[in-house]
Amino acid sequence: MVERIIEISLKNRWTVLFIAAGLFAWGIYSIQKNPIDAIPDLSENQVIVFTEWMGRSPQVIEDQVTYPLVSNLQGIPKVKNIRGSSMFGMSFVYVIFEDNTDIYWARTRVLERLNYAQKLLPNDVSPSLGPDGTGVGHIFWYHLDAPNMDLGEQRALQDWYIKFALQNVQGVAEVASFGGFQKQYQIVIDPHKLTYYNLQLMDVLKTVKANNNDVGGRKFEMTDMSYIIRGLGYIKNIKEIENMPVSMRNSIPVRIKDIGSVQMGGDLRLGIFDMDGTGEVVGGIVVMRYGENADQVIKDVKAKIKEVEKGLPAGVKFKVSYDRSTLIEEAIDSVRGTLYEEMITVSIIVILFLFNWRSALIIIIQLPISVAVGFILLETFGISSNIMSLTGIALAIGVVVDDGIVMVENAYRHISVEHEKRV
């Protein structure tokens, strides 16, 4: 069989060269299409279900949220394991699927099951799916350099302008904000005044909720004109909250300002983000979508940042906190340099041992074609180009040329023997 293949190859040299050139071109195309990352993604194929129910203890979260979700998510096809985690005000359920499961098929199955499981949860509790990223998806961190803005204004700029712009970048699953203060209206209630007016805290909550809403009305016609009636009730400033009536006392409305004070403050924080000990900063974490090209996504994010920077207030600039592209480029350059060095070294050794440049050329041509075929297989099986895969290719070069050296040297020896017999 082997002799037959060799015979056919020798009789059809141009066909063999054409096939080799085609494999090399296919390999170049695969290199350009194959996702590039610094580290291999070995994280589990999982879907995260996140539920928030603020103010409740971990035990209550476990009994009323986590346990019902874990119980009802069981039975989904291709699920290996389900893990639940409960903490103060939050619940996390990790649905682990088999490795060959399509991530978006898995998210659809989980979402279908959540439609039923939500009926078993307390009122106003709505579970949601986490971003379609992985544990190694944090590819880019940035923070704002804004010396003339307080932390609350910086966080508002991040949440309502920068975050929305970067989330539109192809391949970005989420932009998570960190640092600063999230602005909110805060009502500080005086319990003695509540007792004096015979009110409860729920009365205040219902009043604020009812008054922070638009109300739709009907259409009516007058003098051949149609008018749409609607009530505008969204809160715009502190004064509107202060004047909200909670109840009536002797035909006099009891307003929120009569039982407490209203102020603009920051949400409760469980930590801070400090930059090199120089003070707090505000920024974001760019999370890459599952299976995307990390190097290309980072380039697109940087290009988008340049566009966003044009619309920032005067004196506000972006600063990079973490950029994986540096590690990616250095890893690729290191492996590429190793490939070049090994090809040159092997070529020199072959020439020295065979003293025939045509024989050495056969082996030298074999190296790039073998590497190209390796990238074709990486692209076919969905394996990214990372430190592990590229290092494997670099280590295999020494083994790849062994068979070529043996075959070429053996053919060269037989040709020499036949030539000496004829002479």
Side-chain angles (χ1 to χ4, degrees), residues 147-199:
N148 298 324
M149 295 179 65
D150 60 48
L151 294 175
E153 293 175 341
Q154 293 184 41
R155 183 58 184 264
L157 182 64
Q158 161 64 23
D159 288 340
W160 300 103
Y161 175 61
I162 300 174
K163 178 179 178 179
F164 293 152
L166 296 183
Q167 282 182 337
N168 291 325
V169 176
Q170 183 69 27
V172 173
E174 182 187 25
V175 178
S177 303
F178 59 80
F181 296 91
Q182 291 180 277
K183 288 187 176 181
Q184 61 179 199
Y185 293 111
Q186 298 176 344
I187 302 176
V188 182
I189 302 296
D190 188 341
H192 300 291
K193 293 183 179 180
L194 279 181
T195 305
Y196 176 78
Y197 289 111
N198 194 23
L199 296 173

Side-chain angles (χ1 to χ4, degrees), residues 47-315:
V47 177
I48 303 175
V49 180
F50 169 71
T51 309
E52 188 175 19
W53 197 20
M54 298 308 296
R56 272 67 178 184
S57 66
Q59 187 61 49
V60 175
I61 295 291
E62 176 73 21
D63 296 339
Q64 300 191 31
V65 178
T66 306
Y67 178 76
L69 287 177
V70 172
S71 301
N72 286 275
L73 289 176
Q74 293 179 352
I76 298 177
K78 299 183 179 181
V79 170
K80 291 197 305 183
N81 194 10
I82 299 179
R83 306 167 186 163
S85 176
S86 303
M87 58 187 67
F88 183 80
M90 291 178 288
S91 168
F92 292 90
V93 177
Y94 304 90
V95 185
I96 314 299
F97 286 84
E98 296 176 1
D99 294 337
N100 60 347
T101 305
D102 180 72
I103 185 63
Y104 296 104
W105 180 91
R107 291 172 66 87
T108 303
R109 298 284 83 79
V110 173
L111 193 59
E112 290 176 353
R113 190 62 67 90
L114 283 180
N115 293 332
Y116 170 76
Q118 188 172 358
K119 301 177 182 178
L120 306 176
L121 301 179
N123 295 331
D124 300 330
V125 175
S126 179
S128 60
L129 297 184
D132 51 344
T134 64
V136 295
H138 294 193
I139 58 174
F140 190 82
W141 290 35
Y142 66 89
H143 66 274
L144 300 179
D145 182 13
N148 298 324
M149 295 179 65
D150 60 48
L151 294 175
E153 293 175 341
Q154 293 184 41
R155 183 58 184 264
L157 182 64
Q158 161 64 23
D159 288 340
W160 300 103
Y161 175 61
I162 300 174
K163 178 179 178 179
F164 293 152
L166 296 183
Q167 282 182 337
N168 291 325
V169 176
Q170 183 69 27
V172 173
E174 182 187 25
V175 178
S177 303
F178 59 80
F181 296 91
Q182 291 180 277
K183 288 187 176 181
Q184 61 179 199
Y185 293 111
Q186 298 176 344
I187 302 176
V188 182
I189 302 296
D190 188 341
H192 300 291
K193 293 183 179 180
L194 279 181
T195 305
Y196 176 78
Y197 289 111
N198 194 23
L199 296 173
Q200 296 182 358
L201 186 60
M202 290 302 299
D203 297 329
V204 181
L205 297 178
K206 292 178 180 178
T207 299
V208 175
K209 186 176 181 179
N211 283 271
N212 186 33
N213 192 18
D214 277 358
V215 180
R218 298 183 61 183
K219 180 184 73 172
F220 85 99
E221 296 181 1
M222 184 175 64
T223 63
D224 297 331
M225 296 290 291
S226 297
Y227 296 88
I228 304 296
I229 302 175
R230 63 190 183 100
L232 304 179
Y234 282 120
I235 297 172
K236 297 180 180 179
N237 51 56
I238 294 177
K239 193 172 183 180
E240 292 182 357
I241 303 178
E242 293 177 339
N243 292 326
M244 289 181 183
V246 181
S247 66
M248 299 292 291
R249 185 179 179 88
N250 297 328
S251 301
I252 300 175
V254 179
R255 299 180 175 87
I256 288 182
K257 65 181 180 180
D258 298 326
I259 58 175
S261 61
V262 183
Q263 62 187 16
M264 179 71 75
D267 195 5
L268 178 65
R269 302 197 301 171
L270 301 178
I272 64 173
F273 192 88
D274 182 84
M275 185 62 188
D276 296 332
T278 58
E280 294 186 49
V281 293
V282 175
I285 303 172
V286 179
V287 182
M288 180 184 65
R289 186 170 286 116
Y290 179 86
E292 292 288 341
N293 190 332
D295 188 54
Q296 184 61 43
V297 173
I298 294 175
K299 291 179 181 178
D300 294 341
V301 168
K302 290 180 178 179
K304 192 66 175 180
I305 284 178
K306 292 182 179 180
E307 297 180 10
V308 174
E309 203 166 20
K310 299 177 182 178
L312 296 178

Side-chain angles (χ1 to χ4, degrees), residues 35-39 136 139 288 293-294 324 328 332 384-387:
I36 302 174
D37 204 343
I39 52 179
V136 295
I139 58 174
M288 180 184 65
N293 190 332
R324 191 186 293 178
I328 294 174
I332 298 300
S384 65
S385 300
N386 50 67
I387 292 177

